[in-house]
Amino acid sequence: MPRPHTCFVQAQRIPWSHGVHGGNRHDVDSKLLSVDDADASSTQIVRYPAGWRRTSPEHLGTHEEFLVLDGWLEIGGRRYDKHTYGFLPKGYPRERAQAPQGAVLLTMYYGAAAYVPGAAAEPYDAKLLVEYVNPLTMEWDPGLVDPQLSKGVAIKPLRTDPYTGETSFLY
């Protein structure tokens, strides 16, 4: 059964678990916010401890979308500071990664979160890649929200899927 739509989660009431849902990344902690039983897609808060690092190439067998909530994380030489966003498609190469002081990310996996050593057999879909967005440099856009639904509300669009038109945004 697909996961139901959830607007609010009291994440502070969810205990930390070892690893990420799907039995991977045993060197981090996570809080599972939602999961789709049909395809193992999930939304999680992932906590990387201070000193966490990966020095060998790897890739993820599904898409990963994230917003840094605290600290900073570096993936392949790209630094993601607090409040920055990325969407890394399935197979995106990760030559190295680190969180020297630790980091906490809101992470959406579009399938089972399986990190695989080495390069992917097939190239990633470059149309899906949104390597880096800093929402702090963006203006809030009230024109993208139906005023009958929520007067005075605005969003910051982070990504629009080129195939489905689905949009990820800050509200």
Side-chain angles (χ1 to χ4, degrees):
M1 176 174 97
R3 58 185 159 172
H5 176 76
T6 304
C7 279
F8 298 100
V9 175
Q10 291 188 352
Q12 70 276 15
R13 299 184 62 101
I14 299 172
W16 289 102
S17 297
H18 198 59
V20 296
H21 178 75
N24 213 307
R25 278 276 193 261
H26 301 290
D27 51 357
V28 302
D29 293 324
S30 68
K31 292 184 178 200
L32 184 61
L33 305 180
S34 70
V35 66
D36 187 324
D37 293 331
D39 68 2
S41 293
S42 63
T43 300
Q44 304 177 49
I45 297 175
V46 180
R47 181 173 61 189
Y48 296 82
W52 180 89
R53 68 183 312 125
R54 284 282 190 270
T55 57
S56 299
E58 65 181 8
H59 67 280
L60 191 57
T62 190
H63 307 317
E64 178 182 22
E65 182 173 19
F66 59 88
L67 180 72
V68 180
L69 302 176
D70 196 26
W72 62 274
L73 177 75
E74 182 181 301
I75 300 173
R78 165 67 72 182
R79 181 172 163 154
Y80 296 92
D81 290 304
K82 185 175 181 177
H83 302 303
T84 58
Y85 167 89
F87 184 97
L88 307 180
K90 173 183 176 178
Y92 181 80
R94 300 153 191 256
E95 295 299 318
R96 64 190 185 286
Q98 65 175 336
Q101 284 112 27
V104 178
L105 280 64
L106 175 64
T107 305
M108 282 83 39
Y109 295 105
Y110 287 63
Y115 291 87
V116 182
E122 297 180 24
Y124 67 91
D125 186 342
K127 287 183 180 179
L128 295 173
L129 177 64
V130 177
E131 190 172 34
Y132 178 87
V133 174
N134 183 350
L136 298 177
T137 65
M138 302 168 68
E139 295 294 324
W140 288 99
D141 189 345
L144 298 174
V145 179
D146 183 347
Q148 292 179 336
L149 274 173
S150 47
K151 186 177 175 144
V153 173
I155 68 170
K156 290 185 180 186
L158 302 172
R159 166 188 174 270
T160 299
D161 186 295
Y163 302 109
T164 67
E166 293 175 337
T167 301
S168 296
F169 55 88
L170 296 177
Y171 189 69

